[in-house]
Amino acid sequence: MNSQTIGNLHSMFYPQAIAIIGASSKPGKIGYALLKNIVEYGYEGRVYPINPERGEILGLETYPRVQDVPEKVDLAIISVPAQGVPGVMDDCAKKCVRGALIITSGFSEVGEEGRKLENQVLEIARRGNVRVIGPNMMGIVNTAGKLNALFVLPKAIPGEIAFISQSGAMGNAILSLGSKLRIGFSKFVSIGNMADIDFSDLLEYLENDNDTRVIAMYIEGLRDARRFLRVAERVTRTKPVIVIKAGRSKAGARAITSHTGYLAGSDRIYDAAFRQARVFRTNSIEELFDVAKAMAYQGGLAGRRVAIVTNSGGPGIMASDACEDQGLTVSELDQVTVNRLREGLPRICSTKNPVDLVANADPERYRFAIETVAGDPQVDGVLVILTPPDAIIPRGSTTIAQEIVSLTRVLKKPLVTSWMGGVEVEEGIMVLEEHRIPNFPTPERAVRAMAFMSRFPSRKK
Amino acid sequence: MNSQTIGNLHSMFYPQAIAIIGASSKPGKIGYALLKNIVEYGYEGRVYPINPERGEILGLETYPRVQDVPEKVDLAIISVPAQGVPGVMDDCAKKCVRGALIITSGFSEVGEEGRKLENQVLEIARRGNVRVIGPNMMGIVNTAGKLNALFVLPKAIPGEIAFISQSGAMGNAILSLGSKLRIGFSKFVSIGNMADIDFSDLLEYLENDNDTRVIAMYIEGLRDARRFLRVAERVTRTKPVIVIKAGRSKAGARAITSHTGYLAGSDRIYDAAFRQARVFRTNSIEELFDVAKAMAYQGGLAGRRVAIVTNSGGPGIMASDACEDQGLTVSELDQVTVNRLREGLPRICSTKNPVDLVANADPERYRFAIETVAGDPQVDGVLVILTPPDAIIPRGSTTIAQEIVSLTRVLKKPLVTSWMGGVEVEEGIMVLEEHRIPNFPTPERAVRAMAFMSRFPSRKK
């Protein structure tokens, strides 16, 4: 990709002025929802609703055509019927708009006639150097620029994960689930039919985006797989790329063809290529979230040796089993470490790994044990488990979380947690995650995330 | 097990009168928390705090010894220091108490001396025909009898899953997580050291417990594996038994030895034996919950053929992939079904399986599609997926849930859902789960649960 594309994409993510072509004053219309979301999310640039009828929408003056806007337009968002898009694109080209999101559907995804229309639009765009995301997409988000250009309810919270989705509704569900799980996004792109901008372009753009630490994608098919892999091979040297490639099964591949018109492609080839490019492939949305969060918050593990600190034997055992499943090692602690633990902990505690601090473990005991095991050269990362201690230590799950947060400021090794339970541990989990300690509802999921972190040993915290 | 044991256990789960030996007036003490939990959870029988000092605790008159209680005592809950337990058990035997929970720790789990003490207590109990759960346990719950005899915060909500845990803290975390996920329990038992009552006894008791549809267990080691398998083989003919057997790995097995003193045993042998007894083994707490909920709410699937109905292509593809992973078939729909769908649905919808109702699908479209595919002889169960439609159909995720609830009253085949997203779909999920439609946050987890349901083809809804 030439630097010009990067420039265009940058203008689209950080526009000074946006035109919404097909803006509507009717609640329920996409052209109304788009405008409302942009305004309500706090966008600080100028917004120009474009509508043939003169007037105001949400207090903003409308303009009949994009050419009538009294300043340069960086981003045009197009939501007019498909047949009207070529004309609108012509206007955008004349206005020297840097980029357009074509929300409208009814293009190549519906068959031959749509494909012709899509090509026609693209030709006009190319001539005018307007870069296009879409058509058949639901918008983009840039939380750092306070831009929420989606026609569904805005819900992305700021964070370090960029997410690109080839399914609009899937992207919407992911944003919604993310906000429930307090997972933050830097950028979000519903990529649509990829008439112009595709996964590789965005990958190159995100490679140098300082707000993005982890890139996640939902892919149904690639236009140019070779280019994608070439780009991914470079990007994954500095940022983890996590991918769901749907349509692995016969049933799934059939469904893709009727969904986007894409061929899913041979799954084995995808698998091999992803491996070569160090792209992490997952088959589950839950795993995608878990590993993205872990990498965004804590970065890579220098090795595969884990220390487990817990206030309850059972979950420590479950975590040990999970480590072996996932190819991690439950470290054999150095004799010096064991001796220190033995001196500093009550006799009833287990000083082997997993270190069991037993039910009445207080914040100080947790701190001492974590500091001690993290100082062991045999340990690359620490998993801290807690089952509700609140019957014995009032607000224990919160105060222990606070102690760990203060400890991680000086700790040199990655740390993840599993505060297990419901309402009793919720406050503690909030404390942990606000301070970038990734928490998982079960030890198994925490261990799975650590196994992923160990794939990026070179990454600095 | 003879019917006498069942009788004793029944008296322990449904006691007329409880004595709490070691009851305390000091908040923070286990003997206080136990009493408080029992009273606050709404227990309707009589409760007698036993304490050498006369007086009142929480408004209840105390008695110096269990013999002084003016009526028959069904259940004694013992929370006095370990050295005092033999004397207390002697009192219980004299009083003809039916069963005792020994909360106190410091017995076989701490070594040889503790083992001797445990044997001494057991001998006294046997002589007096007092059945014992524990020692070293955290209590029991029977939601149907409004009995919450735990010393941690009470949180079990009523339901149809019985859970037996060999780790107290793990059990506590499971109850807490369950209540957050709105998963209800019939009985809960922290089984402790299994000096007397063990997994097999409880399995036999639960076999005939009408409140229990699914039995789940967390096991570190079995005392008599042969007996367990013999019992399980019988019980699984009528009720699914789901087990986490921890200590599969070397690290995990080591940790068990230092946790309960049990030998984890050869994992391969456990695996084979569980398979023979049709006990479903899982390695994750999340899967345990998912499959238990699915079976409790919907029962078994007659076969492995699934129809998928969705308002969004991407998740439908993910579900198709997951079906193939899990050994389920995405049904090829009967031509009659396809024709009916084609007639009744807008042209833009996909009438192949997965049936894509597209983003503007309303409750009626969902109802029509689900009814139609469920009527197909090629379909054994239905997975319904929804991504938030609320931008287009206000409160769509709730109204579609309501439509499905009304439909399942007449539907003859099991149905599970995946309402994907956060706050927008929460109300809809509440509606579904209140009416025993199991919902899963991702299609992959829904499919995994359906695969489990297909292992119980004979089970009636």
Side-chain angles (χ1 to χ4, degrees):
Chain A
M1 173 167 69
N2 51 38
S3 59
Q4 213 182 355
T5 309
I6 296 202
N8 282 56
L9 278 171
H10 197 74
S11 299
M12 295 168 80
F13 282 116
Y14 294 89
Q16 304 284 319
I18 302 174
I20 299 176
I21 306 171
S24 166
S25 58
K26 289 184 198 122
K29 289 273 179 189
I30 286 175
Y32 174 83
L34 274 164
L35 187 63
K36 188 159 178 280
N37 283 344
I38 289 172
V39 171
E40 289 186 351
Y41 199 74
Y43 174 64
E44 287 162 354
R46 275 85 54 203
V47 188
Y48 299 97
I50 310 297
N51 189 303
E53 294 166 40
R54 303 243 18 170
E56 275 192 2
I57 307 179
L58 293 168
L60 296 165
E61 195 188 338
T62 64
Y63 293 81
R65 294 193 312 171
V66 71
Q67 289 97 312
D68 304 321
V69 170
E71 65 167 313
K72 194 176 163 312
V73 169
D74 296 305
L75 177 66
I77 307 176
I78 301 171
S79 166
V80 300
Q83 293 303 329
V85 176
V88 161
M89 188 54 74
D90 205 40
D91 292 353
C92 289
K94 282 178 187 141
K95 180 72 183 171
C96 297
V97 166
R98 309 272 334 243
L101 313 179
I102 307 180
I103 306 288
T104 313
S105 57
F107 290 91
S108 60
E109 83 278 9
V110 298
E112 199 40 50
E113 219 163 302
R115 184 176 306 274
K116 276 184 196 154
L117 192 62
E118 189 170 300
N119 287 339
Q120 190 192 337
V121 171
L122 190 63
E123 211 172 287
I124 302 167
R126 288 247 159 94
R127 272 205 308 267
N129 193 29
V130 185
R131 300 310 299 262
V132 171
I133 308 184
N136 184 28
M137 55 91 76
M138 54 167 255
I140 63 170
V141 177
N142 170 22
T143 55
K146 288 195 191 164
L147 174 64
N148 188 312
L150 296 175
F151 65 83
V152 292
L153 301 178
K155 53 213 138 205
I157 55 173
E160 297 145 317
I161 301 167
F163 189 81
I164 313 170
S165 182
Q166 202 168 353
S167 159
M170 178 82 146
N172 182 25
I174 293 257
L175 285 182
S176 173
L177 206 51
S179 127
K180 182 183 171 184
L181 302 172
R182 287 187 298 273
I183 289 175
F185 296 91
S186 53
K187 308 275 186 293
F188 170 81
V189 179
S190 161
I191 206 167
N193 292 1
M194 302 191 290
D196 176 23
I197 294 292
D198 69 0
F199 280 106
S200 309
D201 297 318
L202 286 165
L203 209 47
E204 289 200 308
Y205 176 73
L206 293 168
E207 182 181 13
N208 297 307
D209 177 35
N210 287 332
D211 297 320
T212 298
R213 288 189 70 176
V214 176
I215 303 164
M217 302 175 173
Y218 169 81
I219 301 176
E220 296 190 353
L222 291 169
R223 219 177 44 191
D224 181 349
R226 272 170 214 276
R227 178 163 168 240
F228 178 86
L229 291 168
R230 204 168 55 236
V231 174
E233 205 156 10
R234 192 183 70 232
V235 175
T236 53
R237 277 180 218 139
T238 53
K239 288 184 188 181
V241 176
I242 308 164
V243 159
I244 292 177
K245 164 68 185 72
R248 290 172 290 123
S249 63
K250 274 183 203 154
R254 264 201 315 272
I256 282 189
T257 313
S258 70
H259 185 220
T260 53
Y262 263 83
L263 286 173
S266 159
D267 197 62
R268 276 209 218 145
I269 291 172
Y270 271 109
D271 233 4
F274 285 145
R275 205 170 308 121
Q276 192 194 321
R278 292 182 304 274
V279 166
F280 179 74
R281 183 177 188 177
T282 169
N283 299 326
S284 112
I285 297 163
E286 194 172 82
E287 185 175 41
L288 181 93
F289 270 136
D290 283 356
V291 301
K293 180 172 80 167
M295 275 313 283
Y297 289 179
Q298 292 280 308
L301 276 190
R304 308 181 74 75
R305 299 163 308 169
V306 174
I308 302 163
V309 176
T310 177
N311 67 348
S312 160
I317 298 161
M318 296 281 296
S320 303
D321 286 347
C323 279
E324 203 163 289
D325 291 345
Q326 299 277 346
L328 297 177
T329 308
V330 180
S331 311
E332 185 145 342
L333 299 175
D334 203 287
Q335 193 55 46
V336 179
T337 310
V338 174
N339 291 345
R340 280 199 62 197
L341 289 172
R342 208 169 277 156
E343 276 162 36
L345 293 175
R347 242 194 72 206
I348 194 174
C349 298
S350 165
T351 53
K352 281 183 193 146
N353 192 6
V355 178
D356 186 351
L357 305 179
V358 309
N360 67 348
D362 57 12
E364 290 68 37
R365 200 185 294 173
Y366 263 99
R367 185 188 187 99
F368 168 75
I370 294 167
E371 257 185 326
T372 307
V373 299
D376 190 318
Q378 308 295 327
V379 169
D380 299 309
V382 183
L383 166 58
V384 183
I385 299 171
L386 174 139
T387 54
D390 309 45
I392 300 162
I393 302 164
R395 295 189 71 247
S397 45
T398 303
T399 53
I400 293 168
Q402 284 157 344
E403 191 68 35
I404 289 175
V405 165
S406 90
L407 175 60
T408 49
R409 296 212 181 98
V410 294
L411 213 62
K412 298 246 165 48
K413 288 173 186 167
L415 184 148
V416 311
T417 59
S418 177
W419 259 222
M420 297 173 70
V423 79
E424 303 103 307
V425 295
E426 257 166 28
E427 194 188 16
I429 293 172
M430 293 257 285
V431 170
L432 291 167
E433 298 221 316
E434 260 169 35
H435 294 86
R436 304 167 53 83
I437 299 171
N439 184 74
F440 302 89
T442 65
E444 303 90 88
R445 278 174 59 182
V447 167
R448 188 175 65 180
M450 291 185 95
F452 176 78
M453 290 159 75
S454 75
R455 296 165 57 111
F456 291 90
S458 61
R459 221 173 125 70
K460 297 280 177 300
K461 244 196 100 173
Chain B
M1 173 167 67
N2 52 38
S3 59
Q4 213 183 352
T5 308
I6 297 203
N8 282 54
L9 278 171
H10 197 74
S11 299
M12 294 167 80
F13 282 115
Y14 295 88
Q16 304 284 318
I18 302 174
I20 298 176
I21 305 172
S24 166
S25 56
K26 290 184 196 124
K29 289 275 178 185
I30 286 176
Y32 175 83
L34 275 164
L35 187 63
K36 188 159 178 279
N37 284 344
I38 289 172
V39 171
E40 288 185 353
Y41 199 75
Y43 174 64
E44 287 162 353
R46 274 86 55 203
V47 187
Y48 298 97
I50 309 297
N51 188 303
E53 292 166 38
R54 304 244 16 174
E56 275 193 0
I57 307 178
L58 293 167
L60 295 166
E61 195 189 337
T62 64
Y63 293 81
R65 295 193 310 174
V66 70
Q67 289 99 313
D68 304 321
V69 170
E71 65 168 311
K72 197 177 163 312
V73 170
D74 295 305
L75 177 65
I77 307 176
I78 300 172
S79 167
V80 301
Q83 292 304 327
V85 176
V88 161
M89 187 54 74
D90 205 42
D91 292 353
C92 288
K94 281 179 188 141
K95 180 70 182 172
C96 297
V97 167
R98 309 276 328 249
L101 313 179
I102 307 180
I103 306 289
T104 313
S105 56
F107 289 90
S108 60
E109 82 279 9
V110 296
E112 198 40 50
E113 219 162 304
R115 185 175 305 275
K116 275 183 195 156
L117 192 62
E118 189 170 300
N119 286 340
Q120 190 191 341
V121 171
L122 190 63
E123 211 171 289
I124 302 167
R126 290 247 159 96
R127 272 204 308 264
N129 193 30
V130 186
R131 300 309 300 263
V132 171
I133 307 184
N136 184 28
M137 54 92 78
M138 54 167 256
I140 63 171
V141 177
N142 170 22
T143 55
K146 289 197 191 164
L147 175 64
N148 188 311
L150 295 175
F151 65 82
V152 293
L153 301 179
K155 53 213 137 203
I157 56 173
E160 296 145 316
I161 300 167
F163 188 80
I164 313 170
S165 182
Q166 202 168 353
S167 159
M170 177 83 146
N172 182 25
I174 294 255
L175 285 182
S176 172
L177 206 52
S179 127
K180 182 183 172 184
L181 302 171
R182 287 185 298 272
I183 289 175
F185 297 91
S186 52
K187 308 275 187 292
F188 169 80
V189 179
S190 161
I191 205 167
N193 291 0
M194 303 192 288
D196 175 24
I197 294 293
D198 69 0
F199 280 106
S200 308
D201 297 319
L202 286 165
L203 209 47
E204 290 201 306
Y205 176 73
L206 294 167
E207 181 181 13
N208 297 306
D209 177 35
N210 287 331
D211 296 320
T212 298
R213 288 190 72 175
V214 176
I215 302 165
M217 301 175 176
Y218 169 80
I219 301 176
E220 297 190 353
L222 291 169
R223 219 178 42 192
D224 181 349
R226 272 170 214 277
R227 179 167 166 236
F228 178 85
L229 292 167
R230 204 167 56 236
V231 173
E233 206 156 10
R234 191 183 71 232
V235 175
T236 53
R237 278 181 217 140
T238 53
K239 289 183 188 180
V241 175
I242 309 164
V243 158
I244 291 177
K245 165 67 186 74
R248 291 172 289 123
S249 63
K250 274 186 203 150
R254 264 203 312 274
I256 284 189
T257 313
S258 70
H259 184 219
T260 54
Y262 264 83
L263 287 173
S266 159
D267 198 61
R268 277 210 216 145
I269 292 174
Y270 271 109
D271 234 4
F274 285 146
R275 205 171 309 122
Q276 191 192 323
R278 293 183 302 276
V279 166
F280 179 74
R281 184 178 186 175
T282 169
N283 298 325
S284 110
I285 297 163
E286 195 172 80
E287 185 175 41
L288 180 93
F289 269 136
D290 284 354
V291 301
K293 180 172 80 167
M295 274 314 282
Y297 289 0
Q298 291 281 309
L301 275 190
R304 307 180 76 74
R305 300 163 307 169
V306 175
I308 301 164
V309 176
T310 178
N311 67 348
S312 159
I317 298 161
M318 296 281 296
S320 303
D321 286 346
C323 280
E324 203 162 289
D325 291 344
Q326 299 277 345
L328 297 177
T329 307
V330 181
S331 310
E332 185 144 344
L333 299 175
D334 202 287
Q335 195 54 46
V336 179
T337 310
V338 174
N339 292 344
R340 282 199 59 197
L341 288 171
R342 207 170 277 154
E343 277 162 36
L345 293 175
R347 242 194 71 207
I348 194 174
C349 298
S350 165
T351 52
K352 281 184 193 143
N353 192 8
V355 178
D356 187 352
L357 306 179
V358 310
N360 66 349
D362 58 12
E364 290 68 38
R365 200 184 294 171
Y366 263 100
R367 185 190 186 98
F368 169 75
I370 295 167
E371 258 184 326
T372 308
V373 299
D376 190 316
Q378 307 295 325
V379 170
D380 298 311
V382 183
L383 166 58
V384 183
I385 298 171
L386 174 138
T387 54
D390 309 58
I392 301 162
I393 303 164
R395 295 190 70 247
S397 46
T398 304
T399 53
I400 293 168
Q402 285 157 343
E403 192 68 35
I404 288 175
V405 165
S406 91
L407 175 60
T408 49
R409 295 211 182 97
V410 295
L411 213 62
K412 297 247 165 48
K413 288 173 186 166
L415 183 148
V416 311
T417 60
S418 177
W419 260 222
M420 296 173 71
V423 77
E424 305 102 307
V425 296
E426 257 167 27
E427 195 189 16
I429 292 172
M430 293 259 285
V431 169
L432 292 166
E433 297 222 316
E434 259 167 36
H435 294 87
R436 302 169 54 84
I437 298 170
N439 183 75
F440 301 90
T442 66
E444 304 91 89
R445 278 173 61 181
V447 168
R448 187 175 65 179
M450 292 185 94
F452 177 77
M453 291 158 75
S454 75
R455 296 165 56 109
F456 292 89
S458 59
R459 223 172 121 70
K460 296 283 177 298
K461 240 194 103 174

